[in-house]
Amino acid sequence: MNYKIAEIIVDVAAYPVDRPFDYVIPEHMQSLIESGSRVKVPFGPRDVLGFVVALKNETDIPIDKLKPISKLLDIEPVLTSEMLELAKWVKHETICYEIDVLQAMLPSALRAKYEKIVSLLVNVEQLSFLLQPYFNQTKKVNLKVFEKDNLLNEIKIAIKQKQLIIENVVKQKGNIKEVRKVKINESKSELLKVLEEISDRAKKQKLLVQWMTNHVGEIFDPKEIINEVNCSDAVLQAVIELGAAQYIHEEVYRDAFTKDVKKTGFLDLTEEQAIALSQIINAMDQKASETFLLHGITGSGKTEIYLQAIEHCLKDGKEAIVLVPEISLTPQMTERFRSRFGELVAVMHSGLSVGEKYDEWRKIHEGKVKVVVGARSAVFAPFQNVGIFIIDEEHESTYKQEDTPRYHARDVAIWRSKYHQCPVILGSATPSLESFARAKKKVYTLLTLKNRAVSHSLLPEVQIIDMREELKNGNRSMFSEILVEAIQTRLMRKEQMVLFLNRRGYSSFVMCRDCGTVVQCENCDISLTYHRANEKLKCHYCGFEQRVPTICPECQSDHIRYFGTGTQKVEEEIAKLFPEARVLRMDVDTTRTKGSHEQILEMFGEGKADILLGTQMIAKGLDFPNITLVGVLSADTSLHLPDFRAAEKTFQLLTQVSGRAGRHTLPGEVIIQSYTPEHYAIELSKVQLYEPFYEREMMMRHQAGYPPYYYLALIQVSHEDVLMASEYAGKAVDYLRSNLSFNVSIIGPTASSISRIQNRYRYQCLIKYKVEPNLIDTFIQLIKIYRSDWIKKGIQLSVDLNPSSI
Ligand code: ADP
Ligand code: ZN
Ligand code: ZN
């Protein structure tokens, strides 16, 4: 049945209402259009991109009042009906525009880009003489040209006089890459006819066509033929003109993989692994949308469980979606998936070019692959028959998107698992407190792996070194004596080591080097943030501020200063202390170019270096048998972030990085240097047990009223003018205070920790609540006020439910 009207979500940012608009479907499109297709539609004075979300024949508005769709961009819809439904849910859960979700579901190559085109409405002679030369040959010129030539004023005047008009043109970015191939004629008799036509003098041509008669209907690269027959390009051209073959264009996928991978087989599972896998398989067979929390220590073989669960899923004829925190950081992980499932795997991560991402997405969309391994946005992979969702390192904050739509990949995966009636596995050695609490409440099913998978491999021994003592004994370097000795031993034994520099929260807090005190807020249990601009320390939560102290408030030492060391400095110091050591450095500076991660890791894997020195990037995913020492140079930095998750993040990081040592037969050792070794996050990382940490941290969260006991929402307001930003943040808070119940605590407004970004001043307000039925509606109302009024004044307002950091 052909429909006459389409409901369309249009790409108009900052329109006060977010709802579909009705458009008439022109007759020639009626048989082609489907829900999930992109279109161009008139909206106000311009054509904008839109998504068809429903088709119908009835509407309240008289049909002759509706505008028609201008252009259909996709004959095959780019979004499935599942995605359209999911978009509505995400919009509601994260309070954003539906269009933002629809766009986020697609690779950026498919996202429309607008170009501003200046069109001529009159005869070119009527234009001012400055503009005339631009329109002599054409009626349309890109506005950028006039920007560059500084003629915007002239353009403005001409527009006022109705000589010119600016149009927004949707620019199509997704280009399919094609190669030219030669297809040999399918009929042997025609080839023989061609052969007869060729004069005897054209020996090469005759030879070529003779060769072709043995390859009837086959497709070749032109170069292949030229090599094979040893003829020239012109000869090939000539026989093609005679009809012996034809050129065809074949679609190719840009290969997102940088190198070939050897196939590997399945491992015999340990007993723990087998028990966990059987429960997952059971859920798959029962078509149960069950969420499992797979809590296994580092090296316990979680990945092997993922691989075998996927194998089962593929045998069922279903697809698998695997999320990893930031895939360009864990090439080893993708390799393991490829080595099992080969060409059935697509990868999606930020290291790929726009074109490569688009190719991977098309393989999924067209059903050419069955497994996708990717970062956060791969949760939207358009498979139609998903059998399992896997989220590795589920505690990572990268699973929460920082910009609109502010979705959490875990929530999206769980929503989709209900749609597809299949299980979700959340895997981690150090689960987020939220997930572990849910597992304890039996919302998730807990699966536990307590031992390492490789027999005889034990968790490494961990030592914690008190750096305050080192300083007292006159050691001012960043290496403790014990760590220096340990490194020397490894160099002698030709074993490898990892040195980890914790750079989170770099330089942003002030600490006493003698007693380890970090300057804290008087009212809150949180470290003050150092603001370089005015040399002040500020509380991110309550607005309290003070000067940077020159002596320690606890011990009166004057060794107090902001804290942090760069990897480059460490590298220099290693060169001084261990001149014979071969060092590979892995940080943002050494990994800018594409493939550099893989290269560094490959070199390390081949034993071309003794020490791998790096930041967060080396904390997870590495699995090298020869690493026997992990040194953590500064455990404390992440502890003093102005974030209620600081202790959790520190414990996770220390556990992850310790887990890199002794994963195979050689025993491992970990040395953690700290200025606050008595802090529970550091102390408990020595025993490497998650549960004692969990219990302790839950107690802290309970006392301070943080998640998982309370929910949080973060409102941010920004403006170029600091007074406007603070005034409207105040208005937002007033609105919330008068509309929310007394059970909700509203903290703020205060200046954000980074109080100015790109010349915009930022204020924020934190909302803590347990149950507040009114909450979402109040936020929606606030956003309506913002969209219809504040936005014109240059205010930007955002609402982030369950922010990943504050
Ligand atoms: P995790 O993901 O839990 O950190 P991995 O899956 O990386 O652990 O496994 C750690 C190491 O143990 C890897 O080298 C892996 O090949 C190996 N391994 C995993 N399962 C088994 C098994 N059943 N038998 C032997 N080796 C295993
Ligand atoms: Zn002190
Ligand atoms: Zn405070």
Side-chain angles (χ1 to χ4, degrees), residues 207-461:
L207 218 63
L208 177 55
V209 179
Q210 247 153 17
W211 176 84
M212 283 178 169
T213 55
N214 294 325
H215 297 274
V216 173
E218 286 178 45
I219 296 170
F220 290 91
D221 199 301
K223 279 202 199 94
E224 243 177 295
I225 299 179
I226 288 166
N227 281 338
E228 195 75 21
V229 189
N230 193 18
C231 65
S232 71
D233 215 14
V235 171
L236 177 60
Q237 195 63 39
V239 306
I240 285 174
E241 273 162 28
L242 290 171
Q246 69 185 87
Y247 281 121
I248 58 163
H249 292 271
E250 204 169 69
E251 240 184 70
V252 290
Y253 299 113
R254 280 152 277 221
D255 197 359
F257 301 111
T258 42
K259 63 180 175 64
D260 285 331
V261 180
K262 279 196 203 83
K263 270 261 179 204
T264 57
F266 289 95
L267 302 172
D268 284 332
L269 295 185
T270 64
E271 204 181 320
E272 281 183 328
Q273 284 176 315
I275 293 169
L277 181 67
S278 71
Q279 290 198 57
I280 295 162
I281 285 182
N282 200 21
M284 286 202 252
D285 292 345
Q286 309 271 318
K287 291 185 179 261
S289 61
E290 190 171 354
T291 302
F292 293 95
L293 178 62
L294 177 59
H295 174 216
I297 61 167
T298 54
S300 58
K302 294 184 288 295
T303 313
E304 186 63 30
I305 295 181
Y306 304 154
L307 293 167
Q308 300 204 12
I310 293 171
E311 174 74 6
H312 186 85
C313 162
L314 298 183
K315 273 196 192 129
D316 268 1
K318 294 184 179 172
E319 298 124 0
I321 295 179
V322 183
L323 304 184
V324 292
E326 175 40 77
I327 206 163
S328 56
L329 307 187
T330 52
Q332 274 200 323
M333 187 79 176
T334 32
E335 230 168 82
R336 285 171 78 179
F337 281 85
R338 263 198 98 201
S339 71
R340 286 292 161 86
F341 306 114
E343 297 295 306
L344 290 177
V345 181
V347 261
M348 293 191 107
H349 64 83
S350 58
L352 303 180
S353 70
V354 170
E356 285 167 338
K357 276 188 208 153
Y358 178 50
D359 287 344
E360 294 299 292
W361 181 84
R362 273 192 306 133
K363 286 190 214 166
I364 300 164
H365 192 235
E366 292 162 9
K368 299 222 165 90
V369 293
K370 297 289 171 202
V371 181
V372 54
V373 180
R376 179 182 59 231
S377 64
V379 76
F380 295 118
F383 282 138
Q384 310 239 20
N385 191 13
V386 185
I388 196 160
F389 289 89
I390 294 166
I391 304 187
D392 189 37
E393 311 283 6
E394 70 89 32
H395 59 275
E396 283 292 328
S397 55
T398 53
Y399 288 126
K400 171 79 196 289
Q401 173 141 311
E402 302 272 5
D403 299 315
T404 40
R406 296 182 157 81
Y407 67 94
H408 198 297
R410 188 205 299 136
D411 302 333
V412 175
I414 291 174
W415 186 95
R416 291 194 71 188
S417 80
K418 290 184 182 136
Y419 187 94
H420 291 277
Q421 298 178 306
C422 72
V424 178
I425 311 178
L426 308 174
S428 176
T430 51
S432 63
L433 254 68
E434 284 91 334
S435 292
F436 204 75
R438 275 179 210 152
K440 288 219 144 186
K441 279 186 170 171
K442 307 244 186 316
V443 180
Y444 300 160
T445 309
L446 186 63
L447 304 171
T448 313
L449 305 176
K450 289 199 157 76
N451 301 297
R452 284 201 155 171
V454 176
S455 50
H456 311 303
S457 144
L458 298 171
L459 277 179
E461 201 168 303

Side-chain angles (χ1 to χ4, degrees), residues 441-540:
K441 279 186 170 171
K442 307 244 186 316
V443 180
Y444 300 160
T445 309
L446 186 63
L447 304 171
T448 313
L449 305 176
K450 289 199 157 76
N451 301 297
R452 284 201 155 171
V454 176
S455 50
H456 311 303
S457 144
L458 298 171
L459 277 179
E461 201 168 303
V462 182
Q463 279 188 76
I464 293 171
I465 309 296
D466 188 340
M467 289 304 276
R468 296 168 303 191
E469 292 296 319
E470 295 285 317
L471 196 69
K472 270 190 205 139
N473 299 334
N475 178 7
R476 296 193 154 267
S477 93
M478 44 190 132
F479 291 90
S480 61
E481 271 176 36
I482 291 184
L483 183 56
V484 170
E485 269 171 37
I487 294 174
Q488 261 154 1
T489 323
R490 295 314 181 292
L491 287 172
M492 251 160 51
R493 286 200 223 136
K494 304 223 176 315
E495 290 170 4
Q496 289 183 301
M497 47 210 135
V498 165
L499 291 180
F500 173 67
L501 188 68
N502 193 348
R503 285 259 302 179
R504 273 195 175 143
Y506 174 59
S507 251
S508 61
F509 63 96
V510 168
M511 185 173 80
C512 170
R513 298 252 305 195
D514 282 325
C515 74
T517 294
V518 169
V519 185
Q520 298 223 320
C521 175
E522 289 184 351
N523 313 317
C524 319
D525 265 341
I526 214 97
S527 15
L528 292 174
T529 305
Y530 172 65
H531 287 245
R532 191 181 293 269
N534 53 6
E535 283 286 316
K536 276 192 174 153
L537 292 173
K538 280 189 194 164
C539 176
H540 193 201

Side-chain angles (χ1 to χ4, degrees), residues 647-658:
E648 185 184 355
K649 283 179 182 160
T650 304
F651 179 79
Q652 284 163 349
L653 217 50
L654 293 178
T655 310
Q656 293 292 342
V657 72
S658 302

Side-chain angles (χ1 to χ4, degrees), residues 788-806:
S788 56
D789 183 28
W790 300 4
I791 210 165
K792 289 180 220 140
K793 302 186 168 97
I795 295 284
Q796 271 173 20
L797 177 142
S798 69
V799 177
D800 192 354
L801 296 169
N802 310 313
S804 63
S805 64
I806 49 176

Side-chain angles (χ1 to χ4, degrees), residues 179-196:
V179 288
R180 199 165 70 150
K181 295 253 168 122
V182 175
K183 183 169 189 235
I184 296 166
N185 201 317
E186 281 173 355
S187 134
K188 192 160 185 171
S189 59
E190 277 181 40
L191 280 171
L192 292 174
K193 251 189 236 154
V194 173
L195 200 57
E196 274 169 31

